[in-house]
Amino acid sequence: MPTANHQADYAEIYSRSLRDPQGFWREQARQIPWIAEPQTVLDQDDNGVWRWFADGMLNSCFVALDQHVAHGRGDQTALIYDSPVTNTVEHFTYSQLLEKTATIAGGLVELGVTKGDVVIIYMPMVPETAAAMLACARIGAIHSVVFGGFAPKELAMRIDDASPKVVLAASCGIEVDRVIAYQPLLNEAIDLAEHKPEHVVMLQREQCEAALQAPRDIDWFAWERAASPADCVPVKATDPLYVLYTSGTTGKPKGIVRDNGGHAVALNYSMSAVYGVQTGDVYWAASDVGWVVGHSYIVYGPLFAGCTTILYEGKPVKTPDAGAFWRVLAEHRVKSFFVAPTAFRAMRKEDPSCELLSQYDISSLQYQFVAGERLDPPTYHWLKEHLDVPVIDHWWQTETGWSICANMAGIELLESKAGSCTLPAPGWDLRVLDADGKELGPNQEGAIVIKAPLPPSAFPTVWRDHQRYEDSYWSDYPGFYLTGDGGYRDEDGYVFVMGRTDDVINVAGHRLSTGRIEEVVAEHPAVAECAVVGIADAEKGQVPVGLVLMKDGITQDFDALQDELVQAVRGAVGPIANFKRAIVVPRLPKTRSGKILRQVIRKMIDGEPYTVPSTIDDPAIVDELLETLTAQGWMQ
Ligand code: COA
Ligand code: AMP
């Protein structure tokens, strides 16, 4: 149903993208500057994976910065650093951001970092973080940003898997009014890791000074002052730009690899097609650079497209109040805004009638985008009630780097439906399959998969573990990418993503593995066995809870045990796990092959209908569990 915003025909563009993917993406590729334009648009690599623009050469930093300066847009604001936690608002023009980036790139070269080396970035939301990412891209190094809310053990796993030559870090992050010193966390992680980076370059923030250990640690500002700018190094379209770790079903995070060429083409395309913005527009994604949203839509996407991006170091509430987002939208005249629903739930809790909005003029806003988790209908309706712009739910993943489904604001704005992320974006051949691989009809829920080839920007492998790529994503339904999400399409083809079908949970827009939390809980000396499931939570979407079987003969006080488990998860995974509750149960329901029935447990606690599979070992355990949970007031 086209609206007044109708600019082109979504159906025609979408069907062309599947009919003639090469022609479609060749045209999009012409919109970015190449060092050597690709002649081959789509090809299979040695692993049989479809790759885009294999013989093209480019530099992602050039696409993000140099091209705009070369085209006379050097004085346009590239990045606004808005930090209520430090009372700072700072503007960087494209020329200034380029100069800073080139200097940091030069500093990295002087430390011996060359094309193909990995650099870990463990930094908060400060402008140097974005410049550091772009600096790596400039010299062909591969960055791997680690989110500040992870504990040292998680950082250590990433250091070991990525083997960085250098770590770029900051002395602290600021959580509302708490200063979180990063250096002790980083030092502990390096101690735990087998791989030792040669250098740590430390950005000293005035809120907390880190004690540097020479010769390994280097002061950032002295290093930056002494460095000479470095030029862009040409890389192949298929060379990796970054590795970003995300949670899978096992405790070990997966290093999602993003290449340079497909990423630049798809993200540049998405800025106009999905988000409806053009060069010179102000675009804001209120996320963190530690997540894929931050990579794609705080740093690369808006800069590729010549927009002004905002790097916001604050929260939706408490910095200073639930009007914080409205203030930023008004002050910087944002046109297109992207945030996770959990942030709006936090705002709604503090300002249910959205009264603070009346203090701000957000008339520049044209589109409100949400993603990162399901947009629950109450939040959708709250937004519809208070915002005078389309509210667009779009669905994507670290693995894809941009939307699989969206209401494509820049093509043709369709009617929205609460709970739906609308229709597949161009290039995504989406199907809903049953367990046997049979395609399901309207309103039938199944596994959401995408038929190969995936469009540009989708990941070509898991870092140093291609077998895991094949096993986790391509083995269930050969020829189809398993998204890990379940859902259905309605009679109009609208896609409804209902949640993960695996053991991944989504806590406040943060993707976490229940398997990883289970590993930590199971290490406690009193615990014989455990299951961690994500249960519904009004604010965070989901929170993890632990069902614990105590070892025989242990009589530990339950409150003390719960406290110890909470501290253990906080210490090993990090505060963002939001693990706060556990319960002791007599037995756990399992299949005959020993697999814990986590979905049954979750549905039971959430009060949803559940089906006990015929493969269950002992059906009586389900009734026993229901009784225990009910007796202890756990049922939602
Ligand atoms: N560094 C250190 N600690 C951090 C952190 C960071 N970068 N981010 C969060 N934490 C801590 C918090 O301080 C909190 O600690 P506490 O238990 O001591 O209070 C804990 O981790 C839980 O954090 P969170 O669940 O994020 O709650 P919050 O109240 O700090 O923030 C939101 C609430 C809604 C603002 C936040 O969850 C958010 O922005 N989520 C959206 C995430 C997103 O953008 N995802 C991208 C979509 S893919
Ligand atoms: P991440 O890789 O951290 O971006 O998390 C991706 C996961 O978040 C997806 O697999 C979904 O489970 C969930 N997700 C992201 N966006 C949406 C959305 N719009 N609707 C429903 N789930 C979403």
Side-chain angles (χ1 to χ4, degrees):
M1 290 129 268
T3 67
N5 217 1
H6 187 183
Q7 291 158 21
D9 189 335
Y10 158 80
E12 167 50 28
I13 290 176
Y14 177 69
S15 92
R16 178 173 172 229
S17 76
L18 299 193
R19 225 177 31 243
D20 176 21
Q22 303 212 28
F24 182 85
W25 289 109
R26 189 194 302 277
E27 271 169 32
Q28 302 316 325
R30 292 203 181 109
Q31 309 305 313
I32 64 155
W34 294 88
I35 295 167
E37 232 172 84
Q39 304 305 312
T40 309
V41 175
L42 184 60
D43 203 6
Q44 275 175 302
D45 67 13
D46 294 344
N47 291 318
V49 177
W50 290 102
R51 305 299 302 265
W52 294 92
F53 317 119
D55 57 358
M57 301 285 290
L58 77 166
N59 182 282
S60 292
C61 180
F62 185 90
V63 183
L65 300 177
D66 302 61
Q67 68 149 333
H68 303 302
V69 175
H71 288 132
R73 293 194 294 274
D75 292 337
Q76 184 201 308
T77 303
L79 182 144
I80 301 171
Y81 169 52
D82 187 309
S83 168
V85 296
T86 59
N87 274 321
T88 313
V89 175
E90 217 176 335
H91 288 67
F92 293 82
T93 65
Y94 269 96
S95 295
Q96 288 167 333
L97 190 58
L98 173 56
E99 195 184 326
K100 193 167 190 57
T101 299
T103 311
I104 295 171
L108 287 170
V109 171
E110 280 156 34
L111 291 180
V113 177
T114 57
K115 184 171 158 181
D117 285 339
V118 175
V119 173
I120 278 194
I121 300 177
Y122 185 60
M123 296 174 69
M125 291 287 284
V126 292
E128 283 79 4
T129 310
M133 292 162 73
L134 293 161
C136 292
R138 193 169 187 82
I139 57 170
I142 303 162
H143 61 72
S144 187
V145 182
V146 180
F147 179 64
F150 280 122
K153 234 181 192 167
E154 289 285 327
L155 178 55
M157 283 200 260
R158 287 156 174 79
I159 291 174
D160 273 337
D161 198 69
S163 317
K165 198 170 224 174
V166 168
V167 175
L168 300 177
S171 57
C172 65
I174 303 166
E175 283 292 291
V176 187
D177 50 4
R178 279 180 304 148
V179 172
I180 314 280
Y182 276 15
Q183 204 200 22
L185 306 174
L186 176 60
N187 282 347
E188 192 183 331
I190 295 176
D191 285 348
L192 286 168
E194 277 172 31
H195 173 85
K196 308 292 174 195
E198 287 169 27
H199 290 290
V200 172
V201 184
M202 182 66 70
L203 181 87
Q204 299 278 22
R205 302 189 78 187
E206 63 180 47
Q207 294 77 9
C208 165
E209 188 156 338
L212 304 184
Q213 300 172 18
R216 188 196 72 183
D217 297 352
I218 295 168
D219 176 79
W220 182 297
F221 290 118
W223 170 74
E224 198 182 323
R225 266 195 308 275
S228 318
D231 274 340
C232 291
V233 170
V235 298
K236 285 196 278 195
T238 50
D239 280 340
L241 168 65
Y242 68 76
V243 178
L244 179 59
Y245 287 87
T246 191
S247 301
T249 47
T250 67
K252 189 172 181 272
K254 290 189 275 211
I256 301 301
V257 174
R258 184 85 57 226
D259 67 14
N260 276 274
H263 174 251
V265 171
L267 263 68
N268 183 60
Y269 172 69
S270 71
M271 292 308 295
S272 58
V274 177
Y275 299 103
V277 291
Q278 308 297 332
T279 300
D281 285 339
V282 182
Y283 175 90
W284 179 29
S287 180
D288 188 288
V289 283
W291 307 115
V292 68
V293 177
H295 282 62
S296 291
Y297 294 115
I298 295 174
V299 181
Y300 288 108
L303 297 178
F304 286 156
C307 296
T308 297
T309 187
I310 298 176
L311 193 101
Y312 174 72
E313 189 182 28
K315 302 268 174 181
V317 293
K318 299 192 175 70
T319 57
D321 57 28
F325 279 4
W326 311 136
R327 195 264 307 157
V328 176
L329 293 176
E331 198 169 315
H332 305 308
R333 309 298 300 153
V334 175
K335 178 173 173 185
S336 206
F337 180 35
F338 172 2
V339 72
T342 187
F344 285 124
R345 290 197 295 271
M347 288 160 66
R348 191 182 57 189
K349 192 167 164 221
E350 297 208 355
D351 183 18
S353 318
C354 206
E355 279 167 18
L356 291 166
L357 177 56
S358 63
Q359 296 175 16
Y360 302 96
D361 168 11
I362 62 160
S363 55
S364 60
L365 189 69
Q366 288 191 15
Y367 306 109
Q368 176 61 64
F369 285 88
V370 287
E373 54 173 333
R374 182 160 183 265
L375 173 60
D376 50 297
T379 307
Y380 172 76
H381 292 302
W382 186 76
L383 287 170
K384 289 291 286 178
E385 185 186 338
H386 298 293
L387 296 181
D388 203 14
V389 298
V391 174
I392 302 177
D393 180 14
H394 62 322
W395 166 59
W396 54 295
Q397 312 180 305
T398 306
E399 287 85 343
T400 67
W402 69 293
S403 300
I404 308 170
C405 284
N407 197 344
M408 308 283 294
I411 297 180
E412 176 187 4
L413 200 59
L414 302 169
E415 197 178 290
S416 289
K417 295 189 189 186
S420 170
C421 50
T422 316
L423 293 166
W428 298 97
D429 189 353
L430 183 148
R431 315 285 172 95
V432 180
L433 305 183
D434 72 7
D436 300 323
K438 196 168 90 17
E439 207 164 325
L440 292 166
N443 301 311
Q444 289 183 294
E445 202 169 323
I448 308 182
V449 301
I450 314 290
K451 188 169 184 293
L454 305 184
S457 168
F459 70 139
T461 190
V462 169
W463 181 249
R464 292 186 180 150
D465 196 353
H466 190 72
Q467 197 54 48
R468 194 168 179 194
Y469 176 79
E470 296 294 341
D471 295 346
S472 308
Y473 297 102
W474 297 95
S475 63
D476 282 24
Y477 303 103
F480 293 87
Y481 163 68
L482 183 73
T483 64
D485 281 305
Y488 64 93
R489 302 189 77 165
D490 72 5
E491 46 294 332
D492 297 323
Y494 275 54
V495 178
F496 290 74
V497 178
M498 302 308 289
R500 300 285 305 193
T501 53
D502 53 15
D503 297 326
V504 168
I505 57 172
N506 195 313
V507 182
H510 310 312
R511 177 168 157 181
L512 297 170
S513 153
T514 51
R516 172 77 188 109
I517 302 174
E518 274 173 15
E519 279 177 8
V520 180
V521 172
E523 273 170 20
H524 190 285
V527 172
E529 201 180 2
C530 73
V532 171
V533 296
I535 62 165
D537 180 85
E539 200 182 332
K540 309 266 179 199
Q542 282 187 308
V543 287
V545 298
L547 284 81
V548 172
L549 254 79
M550 304 273 272
K551 282 186 185 152
D552 286 348
I554 301 260
T555 52
Q556 186 173 8
D557 167 65
F558 173 69
D559 287 341
L561 172 69
Q562 179 168 263
D563 283 354
E564 285 170 21
L565 294 176
V566 167
Q567 286 315 317
V569 173
R570 217 181 148 81
V573 181
I576 50 155
N578 277 289
F579 180 82
K580 304 221 162 99
R581 294 172 73 196
I583 178 172
V584 173
V585 294
R587 289 182 295 173
L588 289 167
K590 290 183 188 165
T591 60
R592 280 190 287 277
S593 61
K595 194 176 175 314
I596 297 173
L597 294 168
R598 292 184 188 79
Q599 296 284 359
V600 171
I601 301 172
R602 179 191 70 71
K603 287 183 175 168
M604 191 185 277
I605 299 178
D606 284 347
E608 287 176 23
Y610 53 86
T611 315
V612 179
S614 56
T615 51
I616 190 159
D617 184 33
D618 180 357
I621 298 181
V622 173
D623 300 332
E624 176 189 275
L625 183 65
L626 187 61
E627 256 174 54
T628 310
L629 292 168
T630 309
Q632 305 226 14
W634 269 73
M635 311 303 289
Q636 305 245 335

